[in-house]
Amino acid sequence: MEVKITACTEPPQKSLLDLAPLALLVAFPVLFSPTFASLSHKWSQWTEGLSHGFLLIAIFAYLLYKALPFNSNSTARERVLTGIMLAGASCCWAIFALLDINLLAELTLIACLALAIGHVFGLRSAWRHRFLLALPIFSITLWEHLNGPLVNLSGLMVGEMVRLINIPAVIDGSSIFIPYGHIVIADGCSGLRYFIIALAMGYLISYLNGYTERGYVAILAVAAVLALISNWLRIFILILVGYFTEMESSLMQEHDMFGWLLFAAICFPAMYFAPVTKPQNTHLDSPIARPKLHHYGVAAILLSAGPLIYWLLPTPNVQPTLNPILPFQPLNYAPDQLRAEHGDNLGSTHYYQVSAGAVLTVSVSQRTSKGQKLVPYLGDLYNKEAWSVAPAITTHQLPVSSSAFVLRAKGSQIRIAQLQWFMVGGLTTASKAKAKLLQIPALLANDNEFVLITLRQRCQQQECSNALAQLTPIAHTLNELLQAQ
């Protein structure tokens, strides 16, 4: 495949001032160090989904250098508008960074870079280089939120492939039982690394060839499909190897290199045959209008608004951790038949015997330092290797903002009915995403406590309707008691 840099003609000679956008780029890790420290840690994990981060940012810096100098067409009115937006975005970053809401902080930084370019050079220049300015999106944690859906999709597709070849296997969600062992399509088998890197390579090919929006969509769609197929084939081949070698092959333990070789064999030919177009010249034939030095200075000051707020705000006051006073019998641990959680990463967990067969778990954590999450990392609230989950079918009214699920032990008929909800800043929700957003009003109200409430009961019937009906009034009472405390 032949690719050509979008700026195919010789750009105007660069002066020292023309390289000032690169100085702004270098200032970002200094000004917004909390977010970049978190990203750097992920970029340095070579077996994780964002291990390409340093390389991608280096490519972005090089392409930004090649695209300079930008033509300045900013008016005074535009500078006022973009200046307000830039300062506002920087302040939003401070809130997200204080609560360690990484994704929103990272997206805000990409917006800050685009607004800084728009402030100095004008919105038309920022729009002209929109594809370049969006490239860093492939190096942030946005894609990690696809890990769960990709695992489920891999389990579904690989399960169908196993059924087609009729080998003796029992397929239970993301678990595949063969006569010689249990193969789990775990989080590391989602194919997220292949997915992100394929998208990033497709995006770079589109940029270098000067594709239109339609071309970007087509290339990214093809890249996504090829990445998914390569991961499904990888898992399917491993299952076949495990079956025919009775799980004795070394490939069952070390298959990282095998995955990358298969990914290259599928994706590299597609890259070679990607259509090549004649890129448009992004540099104007007319003389370049250059911004003044003080325009860069104003942009740097506006960018500093958020970091200034972050470092000047005091550290949260540490309060005594809530020890719930509830009219239930305390337990030292959950009974074995109800132990479905996988470890909640919370400060303290309390168990109570609510009624015959019903167990309450109240987990409490507190935000004690600047840049710490109020809602801690929760991960999976049940052990995916041992349990599968399905939404519960209920005919009665559930407690406000609570979720109802049925957990089933894999390879067994044991079922557990569950009601669960979160309390953040006195507000309740059943959604992890909403709980994270509730951190913002909780921060403004200086409320630094988070509570996770889980009610579980062993089901006597397959549909678990009776168990859920018994838990519902308990949940109503419990919600009132906790809010009163």
Side-chain angles (χ1 to χ4, degrees):
M1 180 195 68
E2 178 187 2
V3 292
K4 303 176 182 179
I5 299 299
T6 305
C8 58
T9 59
E10 186 66 24
Q13 188 66 32
K14 295 179 177 66
S15 67
L16 189 60
L17 187 59
D18 290 333
L19 301 180
L22 292 178
L24 278 179
L25 187 63
V26 172
F28 265 69
V30 178
L31 292 174
F32 306 103
S33 57
T35 298
F36 275 90
S38 175
L39 282 173
S40 296
H41 174 72
K42 292 182 177 293
W43 293 345
S44 62
Q45 302 299 310
W46 303 114
T47 60
E48 300 298 328
L50 295 178
S51 57
H52 61 282
F54 284 116
L55 176 61
L56 188 67
I57 293 301
I59 293 173
F60 171 70
Y62 173 74
L63 293 177
L64 180 63
Y65 167 78
K66 294 293 291 185
L68 294 174
F70 295 163
N71 194 28
S72 178
N73 49 41
S74 182
T75 63
R77 183 176 180 180
E78 270 191 354
R79 287 200 175 96
V80 172
L81 175 62
T82 54
I84 294 173
M85 295 171 65
L86 180 57
S90 181
C91 293
C92 287
W93 170 85
I95 295 175
F96 300 143
L98 284 167
L99 291 171
D100 199 22
I101 308 178
N102 293 325
L103 174 58
L104 295 181
E106 293 155 9
L107 289 172
T108 304
L109 288 189
I110 295 177
C112 283
L113 178 60
L115 288 169
I117 297 296
H119 178 75
V120 175
F121 296 97
L123 292 176
R124 280 179 292 176
S125 288
W127 178 253
R128 186 180 301 119
H129 297 280
R130 63 193 180 279
F131 293 125
L132 174 59
L133 296 176
L135 179 59
I137 202 169
F138 295 102
S139 64
I140 65 174
T141 57
L142 168 68
W143 310 99
E144 292 182 346
H145 295 268
L146 296 178
N147 200 67
L150 288 178
V151 168
N152 296 334
L153 183 59
S154 296
L156 176 64
M157 298 303 297
V158 174
E160 291 301 319
M161 294 165 71
V162 170
R163 288 189 182 97
L164 286 176
I165 63 172
N166 291 323
I167 66 172
V170 176
I171 301 164
D172 192 343
S174 60
S175 295
I176 299 176
F177 299 87
I178 61 176
Y180 310 106
H182 175 199
I183 298 175
V184 180
I185 303 176
D187 288 348
C189 297
S190 66
L192 182 64
R193 289 182 294 168
Y194 312 130
F195 188 77
I196 304 174
I197 290 177
L199 289 180
M201 290 192 302
Y203 193 91
L204 280 170
I205 290 172
S206 302
Y207 174 76
L208 294 174
N209 280 298
Y211 291 169
T212 62
E213 282 83 353
R214 183 178 298 179
Y216 274 83
V217 172
I219 290 294
L220 291 178
V222 171
V225 170
L226 291 178
L228 293 175
I229 290 175
S230 67
N231 185 57
W232 299 338
L233 280 176
R234 178 181 69 93
I235 300 172
F236 179 66
I237 292 172
L238 289 174
I239 292 172
L240 292 181
V241 170
Y243 177 74
F244 288 108
T245 66
E246 300 183 3
M247 303 292 286
E248 295 297 328
S249 172
S250 60
L251 195 62
M252 300 305 298
Q253 302 299 327
E254 296 292 337
H255 48 257
D256 192 61
M257 180 60 67
F258 167 71
W260 284 115
L261 291 175
L262 184 61
F263 173 78
I266 291 175
C267 291
F268 283 0
M271 292 173 58
Y272 180 81
F273 290 107
V276 176
T277 62
K278 184 178 180 180
Q280 297 177 355
N281 181 17
T282 58
H283 293 288
L284 302 180
D285 294 332
S286 57
I288 293 292
R290 290 171 165 83
K292 304 297 184 183
L293 181 60
H294 69 271
H295 294 153
Y296 293 103
V298 171
I301 292 172
L302 295 173
L303 278 173
S304 303
L308 192 63
I309 293 174
Y310 179 90
W311 294 112
L312 288 181
L313 280 180
T315 301
N317 293 325
V318 180
Q319 301 294 332
T321 304
L322 172 67
N323 187 7
I325 302 174
L326 300 173
F328 306 121
Q329 177 185 354
L331 296 173
N332 292 329
Y333 57 88
D336 290 339
Q337 70 270 24
L338 294 177
R339 184 175 289 278
E341 62 267 30
H342 192 45
D344 297 335
N345 193 35
L346 294 171
S348 60
T349 300
H350 309 271
Y351 297 103
Y352 301 88
Q353 185 77 49
V354 177
S355 63
V359 170
L360 164 67
T361 305
V362 180
S363 300
V364 184
S365 70
Q366 185 177 179
R367 178 175 174 266
T368 59
S369 63
K370 187 185 302 183
Q372 179 186 359
K373 295 180 186 292
L374 173 55
V375 177
Y377 174 73
L378 297 173
D380 297 321
L381 297 178
Y382 65 96
N383 187 342
K384 284 188 173 182
E385 294 186 11
W387 299 83
S388 60
V389 64
I393 300 175
T394 60
T395 57
H396 50 277
Q397 183 178 5
L398 294 173
V400 176
S401 299
S402 67
S403 61
F405 291 99
V406 172
L407 294 168
R408 180 181 61 81
K410 292 182 177 180
S412 169
Q413 294 303 313
I414 297 176
R415 285 176 168 80
I416 293 177
Q418 172 180 291
L419 293 180
Q420 187 175 74
W421 66 98
F422 310 99
M423 294 181 63
V424 185
L427 301 175
T428 61
T429 180
S431 166
K432 286 185 184 180
K434 290 181 180 178
K436 292 178 179 180
L437 290 177
L438 288 176
Q439 294 179 99
I440 298 174
L443 172 67
L444 299 177
N446 198 29
D447 190 327
N448 296 307
E449 207 152 53
F450 167 79
V451 184
L452 167 63
I453 304 101
T454 305
L455 274 169
R456 289 188 175 119
Q457 179 164 324
R458 176 81 174 266
C459 300
Q460 302 302 321
Q461 298 176 338
Q462 187 170 355
E463 68 276 7
C464 292
S465 57
N466 288 344
L468 287 168
Q470 294 171 16
L471 291 178
T472 299
I474 299 172
H476 281 291
T477 302
L478 179 62
N479 199 36
E480 294 174 358
L481 288 172
L482 288 174
Q483 286 189 338
Q485 294 185 32

